[in-house]
Amino acid sequence: MIQGGAGRALELIAAELVECRRCPRLVTWREDVAREKRRAYRDQTYWGRPVPGFGDPDAPLVIVGLAPAAHGANRTGRMFTGDRSGDFLYAALFRAGLASQPASTSRGDGLSLRGVFITAPCRCAPPDNKPANEELASCRTWLERELEALHRARVYLALGKIGYDAVVALARSRAAGAAGERAQRSAEDRPRPPAFAHGAEAVIPDPRGAAGEARLFGSYHVSQQNTQTGRLTGAMFDEVLRRAMGAAGLCDPGRSPS
């Protein structure tokens, strides 16, 4: 059980989220996968539901992925758990001192995170890892509510273009909604963040809707397609993570994770 106001709020959000059936295509896919299973996991009971965010409720750093993997988080019920993407990510977080262990195989494996919370704009495993725009729009409220509960969040590390664009869109929407007409025009005139690229960095309005600004960093996604081809190496990811941690006050930005 997570203690504290933020932790309790996240628990309540998670309890609602796991019952979500808003997107018929995603519901059908996640449940078909959970029923048919992969041969290697045929003796396991799949989660087969939407996946809540995971991590430290007092985190200043938020990692934003894409969606649960069909035989990863859709099987285990925890973000980036039980697949090669998670192997890469949690090993990096362990090197950086943010994870209690370098691997994550199940929700009950004892993994804990310090200073970081992991979430995504899509909470159900999508076919071909490609959620439709209307599915992302339908799922957006879950990301909004989780970020609102993360009262210390001020730095975002997006894994891939979809996560990056989701944070930018939410930040601009929240800024416009909170501003008066004059302030809204000023916000609209502000230069847009750079397009997604590995290593991109931007100052954005706070995506939680709070006053002030936040920092956004971009990294290639930790998918096998990127890590096994060398498009994203451990050293490349460590460098972006180090910068994000420095902005969040989690380490000296001039020092690499050990």
Side-chain angles (χ1 to χ4, degrees):
M1 180 72 70
I2 300 174
Q3 302 298 319
R8 179 57 179 160
L10 289 167
E11 284 184 338
L12 293 173
I13 294 166
E16 291 184 53
L17 186 154
V18 299
E19 301 299 331
C20 182
R21 302 183 67 85
R22 293 176 185 173
C23 303
R25 185 182 79 116
L26 297 186
V27 171
T28 297
W29 174 257
R30 79 191 191 206
E31 293 179 353
D32 283 350
V33 169
R35 181 175 57 256
E36 295 169 4
K37 306 180 182 181
R38 177 173 284 173
R39 191 172 188 179
Y41 308 125
R42 62 184 180 275
D43 296 330
Q44 297 184 21
T45 299
Y46 275 52
W47 174 257
R49 293 185 281 172
V51 180
F54 167 68
D56 183 351
D58 292 323
L61 173 61
V62 181
I63 293 177
V64 183
L66 169 56
H71 301 281
N74 189 56
R75 173 173 58 90
T76 65
R78 189 168 68 190
M79 290 283 180
F80 285 102
T81 294
D83 62 14
R84 294 293 179 85
S85 297
D87 292 344
F88 183 97
L89 177 62
Y90 286 118
L93 296 181
F94 180 75
R95 290 193 299 271
L98 301 179
S100 62
Q101 57 196 50
S104 177
T105 58
S106 72
R107 283 181 296 134
D109 63 12
L111 175 70
S112 63
L113 301 180
R114 177 191 66 83
V116 62
F117 189 88
I118 301 174
T119 186
C122 181
R123 302 313 177 91
C124 295
D128 300 320
N129 293 319
K130 294 179 181 179
N133 288 337
E134 59 269 24
E135 291 163 348
L136 289 168
S138 182
C139 210
R140 175 171 162 163
T141 56
W142 300 119
L143 181 60
E144 290 176 340
R145 291 176 62 187
E146 281 187 344
L147 296 189
E148 287 171 358
L150 296 170
H151 57 281
R152 294 186 180 176
R154 62 180 183 272
V155 178
Y156 299 82
L157 173 55
L159 308 181
K161 185 178 187 300
I162 289 179
Y164 186 91
D165 289 348
V167 176
V168 170
L170 185 56
R172 294 183 68 86
S173 174
R174 289 298 185 91
E181 182 178 349
R182 180 179 299 176
Q184 183 171 336
R185 286 200 300 269
S186 176
E188 291 171 349
D189 291 338
R190 181 183 303 175
R192 287 182 174 272
F196 170 76
H198 182 79
E201 181 177 347
V203 175
I204 59 174
D206 193 325
R208 299 172 304 132
E213 296 176 324
R215 298 276 289 280
L216 172 62
F217 295 82
S219 169
Y220 291 141
H221 196 278
V222 294
S223 66
Q224 289 187 75
Q225 182 179 357
N226 288 332
T227 60
Q228 292 191 346
T229 60
R231 188 182 192 213
L232 178 65
T233 66
M236 290 170 62
F237 186 77
D238 285 351
E239 194 276 333
V240 177
L241 177 60
R242 172 189 59 79
R243 287 163 49 205
M245 290 174 63
L250 292 171
C251 75
D252 179 348
R255 179 182 178 185
S256 297
S258 57

